[in-house]
Amino acid sequence: GTASTDPHQQDENMEALFDCILENIPAPIDNSEEPLQFQVALLDYNDYVGRIGIGRVFRGTMHVGQQVALMKLDGSVKQFRVTKIFGFSGLKRVEIQEAKAGDLVAVSGMEDINVGETVCPIEHQDALPVLHIDEPTLQMTFLVNNSPFAGREGKYVTARKIEERLRAQLQTDVSLRVDNTDSPDAWIVSG
């Protein structure tokens, strides 16, 4: 059919769609009483709290101060204490004390956390299947401007500044690779 431009008709169409969803899609099962499983899907970094793991609580409950196990990608297990949990209100992060199954949250307290790793109770170590990250498809060389016009306009950037910026980006971008070259002023960046 054709889409209506009448706002009243559009509201009725949306209500019908929402009613259909409520009638036919089952509500999620509340498994917040089961042992915790939280999987990291994104990373962030903050100078104040360090590395931040963003993901979903698949089951159970997590709270600030809790001692948990981090199931690493290499099969090892590290213990840490949850120092902060942030929930999301629109695009803003809001500090919260507890997260339950189904919540999307950001967690700090683990300086060595990576995408795909699972946070769970120390006494109930049960890792979720590892997330697959595609191999980089683009590769370019980043180097200090060595043209005859270098330094005449714009900001002069040293090799140290370029390397610092690339290393900082590695903290949050798991699909990025930075490799050294034969030159101390150039890096191969894949992403």
Side-chain angles (χ1 to χ4, degrees):
T2 57
S4 169
T5 55
D6 174 17
H8 183 69
Q9 181 63 44
Q10 287 178 345
D11 286 347
E12 284 182 14
N13 291 344
M14 291 306 291
E15 277 186 42
L17 175 63
F18 292 147
D19 289 342
C20 183
I21 290 170
L22 289 172
E23 285 169 26
N24 296 291
I25 306 295
I29 297 162
D30 180 10
N31 58 357
S32 56
E33 297 301 316
E34 294 177 28
L36 171 66
Q37 265 189 328
F38 166 80
Q39 187 170 48
V40 182
L42 291 168
L43 295 174
D44 198 359
Y45 184 83
N46 175 308
D47 287 335
Y48 178 61
V49 295
R51 208 158 192 183
I52 298 167
I54 303 169
R56 179 173 166 227
V57 180
F58 280 83
R59 72 174 188 217
T61 305
M62 177 170 36
H63 57 84
V64 172
Q66 183 177 359
Q67 282 288 133
V68 292
L70 174 63
M71 312 288 291
K72 304 287 296 161
L73 297 175
D74 64 7
S76 65
V77 179
K78 289 192 174 178
Q79 292 185 19
F80 72 93
R81 190 173 72 84
V82 176
T83 56
K84 286 188 184 292
I85 303 175
F86 299 94
F88 295 93
S89 177
L91 296 175
K92 281 195 284 190
R93 280 189 197 166
V94 182
E95 202 168 326
I96 57 176
Q97 294 301 304
E98 186 178 76
K100 293 188 175 201
D103 290 347
L104 300 175
V105 293
V107 180
S108 69
M110 316 146 262
E111 62 285 340
D112 186 28
I113 194 166
N114 288 292
V115 167
E117 294 177 342
T118 304
V119 174
C120 50
I122 294 165
E123 68 282 358
H124 195 286
Q125 297 177 12
D126 183 15
L128 286 157
V130 175
L131 300 174
H132 174 71
I133 298 163
D134 290 336
E135 283 297 307
T137 55
L138 180 71
Q139 192 173 72
M140 36 191 324
T141 303
F142 281 50
L143 66 156
V144 174
N145 187 349
N146 58 6
S147 84
F149 301 105
R152 293 205 182 172
E153 63 178 37
K155 198 171 175 184
Y156 179 67
V157 181
T158 62
R160 189 170 62 85
K161 285 285 183 199
I162 293 172
E163 184 172 33
E164 276 177 15
R165 183 63 186 91
L166 289 171
R167 299 289 170 212
Q169 191 64 30
L170 287 172
Q171 290 286 338
T172 58
D173 190 342
V174 291
S175 65
L176 193 72
R177 278 210 314 256
V178 177
D179 298 306
N180 293 327
T181 64
D182 294 338
S183 165
D185 295 345
W187 297 265
I188 296 170
V189 178
S190 310

